[in-house]
Amino acid sequence: MNALELKTHSWRNTLVSVLGLNENSFQLIQGSLPIGSTSENLYLMADSVPPASSNFQFNASQWNRFSEDYGSLLHSLSPGNNSSQLQAVLGDNYTNWIKFRNAYYAKGNQKSQADVFKLFADEMLDPGVAQTAINTFAQSALSPLEEAMADYTNTSNFLSLTSPSGQVTKVPVYNTTIEKAQAAIRKGRSASINYDSTSSNEKKSSFFTGAMDGAFGTVFAVAGAASDKKTSQMITNSKITISGSINNYATLPVGPGDWFNSGVFNNALKNKNDDYVWNPDSSSGWSTFFGAGGSMDRVITELIIADGIDLTITVHETFSDEQLSSIQQGLGGGFWPFYAGAEGSSKSNTALSTQDGKLHIPYKTNIGDISILGANVTAIESAF
């Protein structure tokens, strides 16, 4: 591991020790979204599928979404347990119905299953059979898989966010809210931070088996600021201390909302080689989601949130005026270990000072401006 990776490990371990966290589940989150005053950013962070590394440099344009993987999983399950009455009416067209439904939802469409079935019946069935099939679909009891599909396609279980460019993003609702985060912070605890990169524990967690998540790979979040390689390398190799306080921090439980069916999910997880559960004709199977390197092998179950951060990052190195100017220009996107990330940040380091030949960089957030320090990550087999 290089010097910055070691520092990141040791900073994470310092937070584990000071905040009383579990060293085998706490993942340091860097470059996270600001929570803001509404719940959608909490949902976005909770919907992240965390990597195998002990830190996570969040980038919403690149990260893997649990809800999308769950939707793919539903489409990979076998329809073998669906309504026998409907199968009897449709005959060979039952398989065509499943393919039609899966293809429809794969395009991001959001109609209910009943509406989608009517589209299928009108388009694919003889008129004499279509109305009987529609009536049978409406009257027959839903199978667990059909219930799960209905919940997943229910638009009330998702928020629709429109960007300034007009792009619509579907955000799954999770079982936490900004109000719950604020309530947790009000009951939170304070902490004093005294970190020293030369004496802190650099041990890697045994739970996080992957390499460090190097989305930035430098002390600066802004790529252009890393062009001064000599300055960046000096900072990376120098002694860094972080001191100050966190006014309040708390642990916020998070979990999927009503779009998620834990029974169907666990049935899929626990039945690896069962063709009655997994569709043998699907290109995706158990290993796609739960095998080594699978897309759903771990999940965020808690967020570690903080309010009123007042810290000073000190680089124990002397820099020239030209280097200080370069560092100042690079602080707009944050500075290790508080990156702003691609989505911006609630606070950025905007000023620095030099005292006694050392570089001092403040990192502060106002009371009421909640930040995410990290997450507790759980192996998927233990999560639900």
Side-chain angles (χ1 to χ4, degrees), residues 216-233 322-323 325-327 329-330:
F216 301 121
T218 172
V219 291
F220 296 104
V222 178
S227 60
D228 184 352
K229 294 183 179 179
K230 178 181 178 181
T231 301
S232 295
Q233 198 64 39
E322 182 179 357
Q323 288 176 314
S325 177
S326 174
I327 293 170
Q329 293 174 12

Side-chain angles (χ1 to χ4, degrees), residues 324-342:
L324 290 174
S325 177
S326 174
I327 293 170
Q328 179 71 72
Q329 293 174 12
L331 292 181
F335 184 85
W336 182 91
F338 301 104
Y339 299 121

Side-chain angles (χ1 to χ4, degrees), residues 92 118 128 134 143 147 149 152 183 214-215 233 261 264 285 336-337 369:
D92 292 340
K118 188 176 186 307
I134 291 170
S143 73
E147 287 183 344
M149 286 293 298
Y152 186 70
Q233 198 64 39
N261 186 306
V264 169
W336 182 91
D369 188 3

Side-chain angles (χ1 to χ4, degrees), residues 21-229:
L21 304 174
N22 186 333
E23 66 176 355
N24 293 317
S25 63
F26 175 68
Q27 184 178 63
L28 179 66
I29 291 180
Q30 299 173 283
S32 65
L33 285 167
I35 290 183
S37 58
T38 55
S39 300
E40 49 260 37
N41 284 336
L42 281 174
Y43 299 159
L44 284 170
M45 184 58 72
D47 200 40
S48 307
V49 177
S53 57
S54 56
N55 74 323
F56 181 14
Q57 294 177 339
F58 181 88
N59 185 329
S61 65
Q62 299 175 0
W63 101 115
N64 203 25
R65 297 181 63 177
F66 183 86
S67 60
E68 291 182 351
D69 290 336
Y70 172 72
S72 297
L73 180 146
L74 293 181
H75 290 119
S76 301
L77 298 180
S78 173
N81 292 328
N82 286 356
S83 168
S84 58
Q85 290 179 315
L86 184 62
Q87 290 186 60
V89 171
L90 292 180
D92 292 340
N93 271 319
Y94 186 80
T95 300
N96 293 333
W97 151 238
I98 298 302
K99 291 179 179 178
F100 184 94
R101 180 193 68 186
N102 292 355
Y104 182 87
Y105 287 123
K107 296 176 182 178
N109 296 307
Q110 297 183 352
K111 288 182 179 292
S112 69
Q113 275 211 103
D115 289 339
V116 176
F117 186 81
K118 188 176 186 307
L119 289 174
F120 165 79
D122 291 343
E123 181 178 330
M124 305 290 290
L125 301 180
D126 291 334
V129 177
Q131 190 57 52
T132 300
I134 291 170
N135 293 340
T136 302
F137 185 91
Q139 294 169 5
S140 63
L142 289 176
S143 73
L145 177 57
E146 287 173 322
E147 287 183 344
M149 286 293 298
D151 291 337
Y152 186 70
T153 56
N154 186 339
T155 56
S156 67
N157 292 327
F158 293 81
L159 300 178
S160 292
L161 303 181
T162 304
S163 70
S165 63
Q167 182 178 359
V168 177
T169 301
K170 188 173 72 170
V171 179
V173 173
Y174 273 73
N175 64 0
T176 193
T177 62
I178 187 63
E179 290 79 13
K180 289 182 179 180
Q182 292 165 344
I185 278 294
R186 286 194 294 269
K187 297 178 181 179
R189 293 176 289 174
S190 61
S192 296
I193 304 294
N194 288 288
Y195 164 80
D196 186 330
S197 66
T198 62
S199 59
S200 296
N201 174 19
E202 298 172 341
K203 179 182 176 182
K204 179 180 178 180
S205 167
S206 59
F207 175 72
F208 298 103
T209 57
M212 294 294 288
D213 183 14
F216 301 121
T218 172
V219 291
F220 296 104
V222 178
S227 60
D228 184 352
K229 294 183 179 179

Side-chain angles (χ1 to χ4, degrees), residues 1-8 10 202 233 236-238 336:
M1 290 185 287
N2 63 37
L4 189 62
E5 290 175 328
L6 291 173
K7 284 180 170 64
T8 303
S10 63
E202 298 172 341
Q233 198 64 39
T236 298
N237 292 329
S238 71
W336 182 91

Side-chain angles (χ1 to χ4, degrees), residues 283-318:
S283 60
S284 300
W286 188 93
S287 297
T288 305
F289 303 99
F290 307 123
S295 62
M296 303 181 79
D297 55 356
R298 64 192 72 84
V299 65
I300 290 175
T301 52
E302 295 174 317
L303 294 173
I304 312 303
I305 56 177
D307 184 31
I309 300 174
D310 188 355
L311 298 173
T312 298
I313 306 164
T314 300
V315 182
H316 294 248
E317 185 64 81
T318 301

